[in-house]
Amino acid sequence: MAKFKLDEVDHQILDMLIENTRTPFTDIAKKLLISAGTVHVRVKKMEEAGIIEGSSLTLDYTKLGYAFIAYVGIYLQNTSQTKFVLERIAEIPYVTVAHITTGKFNIFCKVRAKDTNHAKEIIFKLDDIDGVYRTETMISLEESINDKKRLMHSIFQDM
C-alpha cells in the first residue's frame, strides 16, 4: 500500500479533530476557508487510508470517581502464557491498557481505580491469574503530559 500523502489542509483538519472529534465539518470548513464537502471528502480519504480510525470520547475519570491511576508490571512464569494472561486481564474492566513488553516486565498495564483499596483489589486479581509469577506496582501521582497534538505535529514535520 502506497504511503498516503497529507498536505497542510489535512494537517489542519486533523489538528481540529484531535482537539474535539465532534467539531462539525462546517465549522472546520469556515476556519480553513474551504467547503464542508471538501472537509468531508478529505476525512473520508483519511479514513479509507487507515489514518483516521473511528473517533473517541475523552472522559474526566476524576469526576466519575476514578482518579486513582496505577501502572502494574506483570512477570510471567513462562512467556508462552502471555495470550492466556492477556485474555484474563481483558476480563478486568479497570485495566484500561495492557502492553506486551520487553525488558523487566512481560506485560505492563494501566489501572484506573476509585482509591487505594479498590486498586489493591484489582492488583490482587492480576496476581491471582494463572501464569502470573508476580507484579510490581507504581502509583501515578499526576498525569503531567497527555498531548496527542505534539506527536501529530512532529509526525507532520517528518513527512
Side-chain angles (χ1 to χ4, degrees):
M1 183 175 175
K3 187 175 177 182
F4 188 85
K5 297 285 186 195
L6 297 173
D7 65 14
E8 186 57 33
V9 173
D10 295 323
H11 295 180
Q12 291 173 333
I13 290 169
L14 286 172
D15 200 38
M16 288 183 224
L17 290 174
I18 284 174
E19 189 70 38
N20 180 359
T21 59
R22 297 178 64 167
T23 304
F25 289 173
T26 52
D27 291 358
I28 294 170
K30 285 177 190 172
K31 288 180 184 171
L32 299 181
L33 303 174
I34 58 177
S35 73
T38 298
V39 175
H40 177 76
V41 167
R42 285 174 176 257
V43 169
K44 186 82 171 149
K45 283 182 181 178
M46 288 186 277
E47 288 173 339
E48 289 169 356
I51 293 168
I52 296 175
E53 295 180 353
S55 62
S56 64
L57 187 66
T58 303
L59 298 175
D60 185 333
Y61 287 101
T62 301
K63 291 180 181 171
L64 295 170
Y66 286 81
F68 190 93
I69 298 172
Y71 293 93
V72 182
I74 298 174
Y75 297 87
L76 300 180
Q77 291 169 348
N78 295 300
T79 55
S80 62
Q81 297 167 304
T82 303
K83 185 175 185 237
F84 173 81
V85 172
L86 283 170
E87 288 169 352
R88 301 298 78 75
I89 291 170
E91 295 170 359
I92 304 170
Y94 307 105
V95 178
T96 59
V97 178
H99 294 271
I100 298 171
T101 58
T102 62
K104 190 174 183 179
F105 310 113
N106 299 99
I107 300 172
F108 195 71
C109 300
K110 180 178 182 179
V111 171
R112 282 240 176 227
K114 296 175 188 176
D115 52 33
T116 54
N117 284 331
H118 186 222
K120 179 179 72 172
E121 292 171 17
I122 297 163
I123 293 162
F124 285 0
K125 284 182 184 181
L126 291 168
D127 278 328
D128 287 343
I129 295 171
D130 287 337
V132 171
Y133 171 65
R134 73 182 186 96
T135 61
E136 189 173 312
T137 303
M138 291 150 274
I139 296 170
S140 171
L141 300 176
E142 173 185 290
E143 184 176 90
S144 302
I145 299 172
N146 185 349
D147 186 355
K148 297 173 193 163
K149 288 177 81 169
R150 287 185 321 129
L151 174 59
M152 184 187 72
H153 288 281
S154 293
I155 291 168
F156 291 163
Q157 288 174 356
D158 291 344
M159 295 178 111

